[in-house]
Amino acid sequence: MKPTGFMLSFVFLTAVSAAAQNYTVSTGNLELHLNSAGEVTSAIAGPERVEYQMQSTAGLGGSADLTSSSVRELPTGAVEFTYDLGSSGTLTSTFQPADDSIHWQVKVVGAAGVQPYSTPIEASLALGAKTDPLFWAPWSAGQGLHKIKPDFAPTFKNLNESDMLLRSYWVDPLVPQPLGNDIFEVGSFFRRGGGISVPLAMFVDRSANLGISLVQSPADTLLYMECQTSPDQRVIFSHENHRIVQSNPIEFNMNIVVHEPDPRAGLAWMVKTYPEYFEPPNPRAHEIAGGGAYSEYEAPWDAEKLKQMAFRVNWKVSVDFPYMGMFLPPVEPHVQWDRYAGGARGRWAPGDEGRFGKISIEKLADYSRQMVADGFNVLSYFNVTEFGDKIVYPPTPGIKETTGPLWMDANAFLNTHFPDAILHAPGVRESWGGSVAMDSAEPGYQEFLVKQAQRHIDEIPDAAGLCVDRLDWLNQYNRTADDGVSWYYGGPARSIGMSWKDTSAKLGELLHKADKVLFVNNIYNRLDLLRHVDGFYQEKGNRMVALNGGAFVALRKPQMIWTQRVDLEVNGPDTFFQRALYMGAHVTVPIPGNDHTITPDPWVDAEYIRYGKLFDAIHQRKWVLKPNPVSVEASTSSTKANVFEVPDGLVVPVVFAGYATHAKVTLRHLDGKPYKNAVAYMPGDEQPVPVRLHQNGGTVTFRTPVKSGCAVVRLRE
């Protein structure tokens, strides 16, 4: 979160060297020319050696005075510029040739004897005059919802209006747009109208057939980061809340990458360079995911009907525990306890309390065993950012006294075992059911969480793994703790995002060793926070910003999204389902007992069965990241198509074709793979229709029928 209440001005570094001198740093398809101030002044890019009046700067915000600078040319071909900022410290900007890009590192070190402080650390890149590029980023709403609705300003006060807008409108996030005055938070959060989920900013120069991307490494320590753009073709990466002190050097590692003028080409570079952030640590995640549910229902299922709807996995709803955080109480497997929500919360119909009111570890294990026998999967509910029930803060006298087992009293257990884990930002943050927000890096609490995860592995062996709720807390700071790197509102703090990185590494190691998976409710989409995650079940995924932003962190991981009846009513089932198919997302299936998601009724069930085979076709999909890999022609100009890999070939969702009856599709860059047959799945059809392929080397064309504006074509080798 960006602090408010004060203003910062930005001063970029300028030349101080008396003797003007030029330096060159080059790699295979990019050559940068730099002056003695360490600024890029021009560039030659691409196989046709296109010249740009490229500009770059690096600097600190505030009023840092530049007293002197020095330059070193290194044997590796790198050029290093070091600036003495006087009482502010030093800044080093280094340009280093890499195999397929130029690596740009900005390093800041505080001055000796100076107290810690924080100010924005910035790096900017512009293509310069004589070009008119478009801009693209892995954004959730294009260049902002204000381009759709000029008076839109998402706030907590007008959240109902914002929510309906986010449901009703959708912008294709793969379309580059003109540069404007925009600020994108790196971290796509639905309540603020979106942002960028992957730290990449791209210039698209179609006249030169080039794309040029500035990429920030997700492996760096990132706290609060913005991507700012301006009509003068400038992109600025700005980092805030970092502690500048001599003992704590701060590094930001970027790459300037030249590629084809297509968003997928820049994303392909990211996936190739940082595969550990995109590939699921446990590949079994793709088999487990599919049509989802968030249900406590334990009565017999209509398994065949659910399979017609492409259902595969239930995230067991958050009512089984006695209170938030105590997911498996320290009792014998047969011992029963009252479920937390019960009938009092209105989740169940009258009379259901007796049917669903008590649970035990033994019953949870039996439930998962039966689900697997029926051909489905279970993800157990987990949460690392909230704890308790009706927590009293500050603790009242005698709060540690309890007549029963300590674990039964949430206040007593919290204040006995890990009171320092409560998040102070600055005050204590209350959440669902009177729980409080928590900082998972506090050692006692983290140990408790890891032990809870191990008990799930040991005592519910048929569950596929965990799904962790409420990542929306990760942009907060705990002002009563210290992570050694954050400086927030003038003092040390601990980033809850940094806490999650540490906790998720431990949870991931534990689960993956047992061949289990770690899924998350990624309300806050930010690539660097998701390295140890196998897949996503996104609570706000029925809103545009979450669907789009989530798709770019899920390029190689499964993405499932929340669905509510209003989504089908506001958008129409065809529109809602086709958005999801185009973005490679699975939807929530109408299951009895679904918690604030869609539940069964004849109309809803029929619409899901209409699209069931289409969602089955994209099961285990991964994005194809070749440049311009697919194009589509139809009588309706709104028609779109995407292309994904699946284990036995390719799938091509053709969507939004309106009243068209057919669409012509061209696939490119297939690397000579021979595709022998294809079939088209269309809404409502019992059987797929054969599609004739025409292949010429790496290009395949076909004409597919469409129905209700849609078909999913599956090609097999």
Side-chain angles (χ1 to χ4, degrees), residues 40-43 51-56 126-131 233:
V40 174
T41 57
S42 64
E51 294 188 25
Y52 292 99
Q53 294 177 316
M54 188 179 285
Q55 303 166 8
S56 80
L127 288 194
K130 298 184 180 179
T131 59
Q233 305 169 13

Side-chain angles (χ1 to χ4, degrees), residues 647-706:
D648 62 349
L650 301 173
V651 291
V652 182
V654 177
V655 299
F656 308 138
Y659 294 106
T661 58
H662 289 79
K664 181 182 177 182
V665 177
T666 302
L667 301 178
R668 305 175 187 85
H669 311 299
L670 300 181
D671 300 326
K673 291 182 179 179
Y675 289 93
K676 298 175 182 177
N677 63 77
V679 294
Y681 297 88
M682 289 175 287
D685 283 4
E686 287 291 326
Q687 298 298 326
V689 175
V691 173
R692 180 177 295 180
L693 302 177
H694 303 277
Q695 184 158 3
N696 183 9
T699 300
V700 168
T701 60
F702 57 85
R703 188 170 183 264
T704 179
V706 294

Side-chain angles (χ1 to χ4, degrees), residues 78 93 326 347 349 484 486 496 549 605:
S93 178
M326 185 61 69
R347 292 176 181 271
S486 300
I496 302 303
D605 292 358

